[in-house]
Amino acid sequence: MDISTLIPSFGSGALTVIWFVVALSIIVAIHEYGHYIVGRWSGIGADVFSIGFGPVLWSRVDKRGTQWQIAAIPLGGYVKFKGDANAASGKDGEAMGEMDESELRHTMHGAPLWARASTVLAGPVFNFILSILIFAGVMMFNGQVGDKLIVGQVWDLPNAPYELQQGDVVLAIDGQRIPSFDDPEAFDGFVQGMSKTDPLRYLVDRNGAEMEVSGPYLYPPIVLSLAPRSAAYNAGLEVGDVFTAIDGAPIVAFSQLKDAVETGNGRTLELSVSRDGVTQPFALSPRRVDEPQADGGFVTNWRIGIGGGLAFEPATETLGVGDAMTAGVRQTGRIMEGSISGLYHMITGAISSCNLSGPVGIAQTSAAMASQGTQSFIWFIAVLSTAIGLLNLFPIPMLDGGHLVFYAYEAVVGKPPADGVVRVLMTIGLTLVLGMMAFGLTNDLFCP
């Protein structure tokens, strides 16, 4: 079932909250389960496993004595291990003072250092594992384009119908032989040399026979994806829309739209858009966007927030499990690298601090991705899971990374930091975390 079919049943505000809660709850459940299961494997008992905070809506106690619960405020979760005073893993000195050595071994604060460190590290690691599995699964489901460009579904374009058919093997377009996809420069040159007209002549292999047929411009100005909270998304554009004119001048190529956006310096573009055979007018004002580069830097461009592609869905080949997992690891790594680079460049002032979103922005993105279909929403969950796992590794008290810093200190010095010092640092950490949330929320409300 496509999630987007549920959208008419809810108001936009309620829908935004619902998809945010769904996405966050999945990610939190995986994160906290990582803490719980590795703690259990390490001999540390858990008193409470909670999704959400505040009043308990539902609970049950398992045979190990752990209370599993869902609470009313769905903005996170926690595992309260034995010996913890609270959800933030503060030490319950009074309770631990009444325990014998055997009981202390099963508490978070009385377990060996390796057990405590493994339990804390497991939360972010499980987030990364979730991301890798989702990315790999989506890539296996979608497959990859093979050596031959084989026509799948042809999109509904204004100049249709064409003679190009599903199953045709494309050999040449507009008199040019198609180069290999493995040579990006050659393929880019091939596209640049193509006449910007529609229809074009395609040389295809159809059932073993070569023939010329009419077909669309290879990269038409069609909307195949929408960036959440972008100018195009906010203006009401939809996946499947096709741009037919800019300021009254007809266009057939995505590159024509891209050039007009990038060279317009933010001026409002009067666009004609074909949707279900009907042409509609749209006025779009491109926005400045800081985009990461391969060298780790950022470049600012004008964007309206759409993604295009081929005029047809190319037939794909199944991707093996090993290749898919490798691609999933690489995708997770790219997100982590981009997040760290983006934060560094915001701190140094190289890019706008408006690139940091808060809870409102994340909630709006959740709903926007859900509106584009199940696969888009699942992909977003993987991206958010990576970001949350990475955030939790920051060396800030209150976060997992802060606890790992305490454990590193204990490993070097031979004893943990004093309880009073830890309490002060945890207060500072809480202040930093709340400050980050407030800053993100301010961006959500006031950034363009």
Side-chain angles (χ1 to χ4, degrees), residues 26-67:
I26 291 171
I27 294 166
V28 167
I30 294 297
H31 180 96
E32 298 303 333
Y33 187 76
H35 289 315
Y36 164 78
I37 194 63
V38 173
R40 200 180 89 186
W41 292 341
S42 303
I44 302 173
D47 291 331
V48 179
F49 184 107
S50 181
I51 302 298
F53 301 98
V56 177
L57 302 177
W58 171 89
S59 70
R60 75 173 183 86
V61 178
D62 67 15
K63 63 182 180 180
R64 293 183 175 83
T66 302
Q67 177 173 309

Side-chain angles (χ1 to χ4, degrees), residues 83-412:
D84 287 350
N86 48 49
S89 296
K91 184 177 180 180
D92 187 346
E94 182 178 346
M96 292 184 64
E98 299 175 357
M99 297 180 183
D100 59 29
E101 189 172 334
S102 175
E103 291 174 313
L104 286 172
R105 170 59 182 84
H106 297 294
T107 68
M108 185 62 169
H109 302 277
L113 182 59
W114 67 265
R116 286 177 278 145
S118 299
T119 299
V120 169
L121 183 61
V125 169
F126 269 53
N127 280 135
F128 300 145
I129 291 173
L130 172 65
S131 299
I132 292 168
L133 292 176
I134 290 178
F135 290 139
V138 170
M139 292 174 188
M140 286 184 66
F141 178 80
N142 289 337
Q144 63 181 355
V145 178
D147 294 333
K148 296 180 179 179
L149 182 56
I150 303 175
V151 178
Q153 177 187 356
V154 181
W155 306 127
D156 185 16
L157 298 168
N159 289 337
Y162 302 97
E163 297 170 334
L164 193 67
Q165 295 181 6
Q166 187 171 350
D168 286 344
V169 180
V170 181
L171 305 176
I173 303 175
D174 197 26
Q176 299 183 80
R177 285 276 172 175
I178 292 186
S180 171
F181 281 107
D182 296 332
D183 188 347
E185 289 187 9
F187 198 83
D188 286 346
F190 162 76
V191 174
Q192 291 296 326
M194 196 180 301
S195 301
K196 289 183 173 57
T197 58
D198 190 334
L200 289 172
R201 301 304 297 174
Y202 279 62
L203 178 65
V204 302
D205 181 331
R206 181 178 297 171
N207 299 323
E210 289 191 8
M211 62 181 66
E212 276 202 353
V213 297
S214 65
Y217 183 81
L218 188 60
Y219 281 95
I222 185 172
V223 179
L224 295 183
S225 64
L226 278 167
R229 306 170 66 204
S230 64
Y233 182 85
N234 291 342
L237 285 168
E238 299 176 359
V239 171
D241 287 346
V242 182
F243 295 91
T244 58
I246 303 174
D247 296 331
I251 62 170
V252 298
F254 192 91
S255 60
Q256 292 172 306
L257 174 64
K258 183 173 181 289
D259 290 343
V261 170
E262 292 182 341
T263 60
N265 292 321
R267 73 175 180 86
T268 299
L269 302 175
E270 300 297 332
L271 303 168
S272 297
V273 176
S274 175
R275 177 183 298 170
D276 299 327
V278 178
T279 299
Q280 305 179 31
F282 282 85
L284 284 184
S285 298
R287 299 176 181 172
R288 285 185 176 273
V289 177
D290 297 311
E291 298 177 333
Q293 302 299 295
D295 61 1
F298 280 77
V299 64
T300 300
N301 285 315
W302 292 99
R303 294 285 184 257
I304 59 174
I306 67 168
L310 295 176
F312 50 83
E313 185 177 14
T316 58
E317 300 174 348
T318 301
L319 196 64
V321 174
D323 290 337
M325 291 297 292
T326 299
V329 170
R330 288 175 178 167
Q331 179 66 26
T332 303
R334 281 194 291 268
I335 293 171
M336 295 171 66
E337 181 181 359
S339 298
I340 294 172
S341 176
L343 183 60
Y344 169 78
H345 284 83
M346 277 188 280
I347 292 173
T348 60
I351 62 174
S352 171
S353 61
C354 286
N355 286 281
L356 181 66
S357 293
V360 173
I362 296 173
Q364 291 174 337
T365 302
S366 301
M369 297 304 287
S371 72
Q372 296 184 45
T374 305
Q375 188 176 118
S376 295
F377 183 65
I378 292 173
W379 187 273
F380 170 71
I381 289 176
V383 173
L384 188 58
S385 181
T386 301
I388 288 177
L390 179 63
L391 175 63
N392 270 278
L393 286 177
F394 285 5
I396 299 174
M398 286 292 295
L399 300 180
D400 295 332
H403 289 287
L404 292 173
V405 171
F406 293 152
Y407 297 152
Y409 173 88
E410 182 178 345
V412 172

